[in-house]
Amino acid sequence: MEDGTATSSGESSNHPSHARMVQAVLRSGALGALGLFAISLWATVLVALAGGTSVGVMVQSALSIVSLGLGTGTIALAVIAKRGLDYVDFEVPSRHDLGYVLAGIVAIFLLMYLGSALLSLFGVQEASHSVERTANSGNPEILLLFIPLSWLIIGPCEELLYRNIIQKSLYDTFSGYGAVVVASVIFALAHVFVYSSGSTPAQLGGTLATIFLLSLVLGTVYLKTENLTASALVHGTFDAIAFATMYLQFTS
């Protein structure tokens, strides 16, 4: 970890100019976009190496997760190479951290429930994730693959890029919570492509708003613990339970 409280809280005696804030947002957004590009590039390469589009659904799903890890990892490592390994905040969680993990898991599911209820109130259905669409087309077994990978790859790798790299880079310009908000906007927008297919603008917008709220929880857990393991555990647990719930729905 870097510099303790001053760095993580984003507090500074200097008030950054609007131009500096805009630059920080654009720089962070560019990192998020580069992450998406790297994921897509790795997916193309891996599918080609595996034999092209003729590979089975399970193999394609596994490669998509590996691509996510390699893509986010590529951009994160490029930043870490400049800043040093001390910039990475993966640590064994303390009791304090585990308390935030538990609170984060409860909060994230509560927000998901409230977000779904609010969308239903306005007659808007949630957009479906690309994985959900694949599982619902007769391949529910892929969800069993995604459950362990939620903890092993999805949670850690997405948190590394969007929290440790993007959110943390914003601490010098924004307050701690300001950085959480900006990073959460970028995180939500990064999910446009996996939810856009077959969705109406209202469905996509409502779903991205829910993802933004969930990201606020992840960002707050990271801000309060300064430990990426904590937010990765919350993220991975949420995804794993979501995939397990989908599997039970499709196979019951």
Side-chain angles (χ1 to χ4, degrees), residues 133-141:
R133 293 193 296 271
T134 301
N136 198 27
S137 65
N139 300 283
E141 65 278 359

Side-chain angles (χ1 to χ4, degrees), residues 53-82:
T53 55
S54 61
V55 297
V57 173
M58 285 292 285
V59 175
Q60 288 186 37
S61 298
L63 292 179
S64 71
I65 296 297
V66 174
S67 300
L68 184 148
L70 290 173
T72 54
T74 297
I75 303 305
L77 287 175
V79 175
I80 294 166
K82 293 179 63 176

Side-chain angles (χ1 to χ4, degrees), residues 156-205:
C157 291
E158 287 196 339
E159 290 303 294
L160 176 62
L161 177 60
Y162 291 98
R163 245 56 66 179
N164 201 154
I165 301 301
I166 291 178
Q167 179 174 312
K168 190 174 181 177
S169 71
L170 291 164
Y171 288 156
D172 292 334
T173 309
F174 294 86
S175 67
Y177 287 111
V180 170
V181 171
V182 175
S184 294
V185 170
I186 295 170
F187 182 76
L189 291 176
H191 288 76
V192 167
F193 298 109
V194 295
Y195 283 99
S196 59
S197 180
S199 301
T200 66
Q203 290 173 330
L204 180 60

